[in-house]
Amino acid sequence: MPVTTYTVMLILAAAGIVIFFLLCLHYRSRYLLLKGSSEALIQSSHQQDAAMLLLRTQITELKLVNLKSQVNPHFQFNCLNGIYTALMTGETTLAQEYISRFAGLLRKVLMLADKDFIPLQEEADMLEHYLKLEQLRTNNGFEYTLYTDPQISAAALYVPCMLVQPFVENAIWHGLMHKRTNRQLHVQWMQLGPDLYACEVTDNGIGRVQALQYHHDGLKSNNHHSRGMEICMERATLYRAMYHKQFNIEISDLPGAENTVEGTRVYITFESDPAMIH
């Protein structure tokens, strides 16, 4: 059968179609391969980002645990110092009461040692235990009040565990006890907004500048004082980094008449978030 021009054209057209189809399959395969690789890279990148975020969170949590573990021994050391002083001065009845109260407080501290946030009711109870201990130690040398805004459910609101106590301790020993009389300490928890709260610690002591002029004995040195304050500030910084919520601590002197100072104010503001509760 003679091969005509028409037949050649049909063959060439068919070959062109086959080649075009094969090229399409080839490029489609390459496209799917590249798309799959791209998606795999994106997924791998997301997994790496998630792993890094988890690692940073775990590191932050470990730092918080480390800082909080430094606060508790410092606080316990000062309580034991009070018991030691009572025994050395022959006040055995006072020492026995101090030991009993300290044992109760230590039990609370140990029960909550692994928690970063606890109900406000627990924090307030622990703080009151501490304040009663310090009243024993100072022979009722100061008066205090603990107040919670009626809007706040003390059982439902979770607050940073043991964050306030170092400021209260500082107010007593570096502000109030350098006064002769009328030593007043006030701690109040307030609700500022739907998820925003504040804790204010005020005293009518001698103020920060004058407190620095006093020399402290070896059991209660400036190093202990400054480290306790630094730990609180570091904890606030880590809370902000970890939860991306407002968490601030402001310390200021309370102005009196004619450029005098009538005490110190610590103002802690923080946002509440269910993610903070482990």
Side-chain angles (χ1 to χ4, degrees):
M1 176 178 165
V3 178
T4 64
T5 302
Y6 178 72
T7 304
V8 172
M9 292 295 291
L10 284 176
I11 293 172
L12 289 175
I17 291 170
V18 170
I19 292 171
F20 177 75
F21 179 72
L22 291 174
L23 286 173
C24 286
L25 287 177
H26 173 72
Y27 283 111
R28 184 175 184 277
S29 298
R30 283 183 59 83
Y31 168 75
L32 292 175
L33 180 62
L34 288 172
K35 182 181 178 182
S37 299
S38 177
E39 289 176 349
L41 286 172
I42 291 171
Q43 185 177 2
S44 175
S45 176
H46 287 165
Q47 289 174 345
Q48 289 179 358
D49 290 343
M52 286 299 294
L53 180 60
L54 178 62
L55 181 61
R56 284 196 294 269
T57 301
Q58 290 172 337
I59 290 172
T60 302
E61 288 177 343
L62 286 173
K63 286 180 180 178
L64 283 170
V65 169
N66 179 54
L67 288 174
K68 188 163 169 288
S69 69
Q70 292 179 53
V71 170
N72 289 341
H74 171 66
F75 146 74
Q76 293 168 28
F77 174 84
N78 289 326
C79 288
L80 290 172
N81 181 36
I83 296 171
Y84 171 80
T85 302
L87 289 171
M88 291 302 292
T89 54
E91 299 175 279
T92 54
T93 303
L94 175 62
Q96 288 174 352
E97 186 176 358
Y98 208 126
I99 290 170
S100 176
R101 288 187 179 277
F102 177 65
L105 179 58
L106 186 58
R107 185 163 52 249
K108 276 184 169 292
V109 170
L110 292 175
M111 286 176 59
L112 301 170
D114 62 338
K115 301 182 186 301
D116 255 338
F117 288 82
I118 61 174
L120 174 56
Q121 186 62 61
E122 295 277 3
E123 177 74 4
D125 288 348
M126 192 157 49
L127 198 56
E128 184 145 33
H129 269 75
Y130 168 75
L131 285 166
K132 288 186 180 300
L133 277 171
E134 292 292 41
Q135 280 194 323
L136 277 176
R137 186 177 171 188
T138 61
N139 193 26
N140 291 317
F142 66 93
E143 296 179 355
Y144 72 87
T145 61
L146 294 176
Y147 171 81
T148 301
D149 188 333
Q151 298 181 78
I152 297 174
S153 171
L157 174 63
Y158 279 68
V159 300
C161 182
M162 293 286 289
L163 186 71
V164 177
Q165 183 273 332
F167 294 109
V168 170
E169 179 183 350
N170 181 66
I172 295 168
W173 291 102
H174 299 278
L176 296 177
M177 297 315 295
H178 291 303
K179 287 184 65 178
R180 292 183 181 276
T181 59
N182 187 32
R183 304 179 182 120
Q184 300 287 329
L185 174 68
H186 305 288
V187 181
Q188 59 176 331
W189 296 88
M190 301 164 287
Q191 183 165 5
L192 306 180
D195 296 308
L196 186 63
Y197 300 86
C199 179
E200 183 181 61
V201 180
T202 58
D203 66 76
N204 66 342
I206 61 174
R208 294 176 299 165
V209 174
Q210 192 174 346
L212 290 174
Q213 298 174 5
Y214 285 83
H215 296 284
H216 309 288
D217 59 48
L219 288 176
K220 203 162 187 59
S221 67
N222 280 323
N223 289 335
H224 279 297
H225 160 59
S226 60
R227 185 57 189 147
M229 302 293 280
E230 287 173 8
I231 287 172
C232 292
M233 297 300 185
E234 288 177 45
R235 285 180 69 188
T237 299
L238 287 173
Y239 286 139
R240 286 196 298 270
M242 187 171 177
Y243 300 110
H244 306 289
K245 298 290 183 180
Q246 181 176 334
F247 207 114
N248 300 307
I249 300 175
E250 299 175 3
I251 306 175
S252 58
D253 286 328
L254 297 174
E258 298 180 359
N259 296 322
T260 60
V261 172
E262 293 188 349
T264 305
R265 174 181 184 256
V266 178
Y267 197 70
I268 304 170
T269 54
F270 67 96
E271 289 182 87
S272 176
D273 190 328
M276 296 176 175
I277 305 169
H278 297 292

